Amino acid sequence: DTYRVWAGAAHIKDTLYSSETACIFGAEYFLTEQDYIKIANLQFAGGINRTIWHGHASSWGPVSNTRWPGYEGMYSGLSSRLDSREPNSKDYIEMNNYFGRVQRLLREGVSRTDLGILRLNYGERTEYGITYADYIGNHHGIYWQDMSLQDAGYTYDYFAPDFLNLVEYDPETQTLGDTVGYQAILLHQQRLPVDAAERLLTLAKQGLKVILVGDAATITPYHSETNEELAAVVNELKALDNVVVVDTEADAYPALLEMGITPRAELIGTNQILTQVREDENDNLYVYAY
């Protein structure tokens, strides 16, 4: 399962194991149920499939004058009173039942995500930075800036290059990873370790489709490697028939179509609809659309 935590604790350390794991905080008496539902819907559209409510106001406090409705360890900045002292609590049951229905859908089978985007970053934003929902809810890209893919209905994940070592290519379905089903891998970041390039080359030789944008994969982040070593692997990668080099991110969309890769939930026309697709062992497809 993929988790997102709603927290009112004094401190949370959130480690991003993938682009699908994150933490979000709500301000005391600041957000309504409609706000929480909108944020959750955007998270569900981004691949989150389990929301955890966390945090409880306490009648005890470190100072003697703690009064109703209780002590808040994070004061008015990052907290929510998830109990009967919160006026909105009368709607918690209805709201959580809705979350439960959506999350049940989003935990059927396995994810069928169209594209994987390699992203190496040792300084990801934490819960105190701009949240994922701020980007996706306002039609902005986080790292991949061009919106053509999203508008056409492609779903995609960001993940570290090391993840390539944890997934295998299936020549029968022509997809990568049995629990995600990537149809292609995109590279637009300059940094790429040599061993990750070698692993990508191995997968591409098996048939995995790859698109490189501009000067992607030209710099190794490690002092133990050289850019020349990286270039040797990447040049071999680019020589394969199922690997395409494009000038800009916007060029990736027509390149994917030319490679025969279309979204599993294709969208036609101008839209800002977001989807997630799941598939179970009986080949049933489940689609969440927001």
Side-chain angles (χ1 to χ4, degrees), residues 180-218:
V180 280
Y182 299 125
Q183 300 184 74
I185 294 297
L186 308 181
L187 289 88
H188 69 140
Q189 189 182 33
Q190 287 181 310
R191 293 188 299 168
L192 186 70
V194 173
D195 62 344
E198 292 172 339
R199 174 58 178 166
L200 188 60
L201 175 62
T202 298
L203 294 169
K205 286 181 176 179
Q206 295 172 6
L208 176 66
K209 294 170 180 165
V210 179
I211 292 181
L212 293 92
V213 179
D215 58 355
T218 54

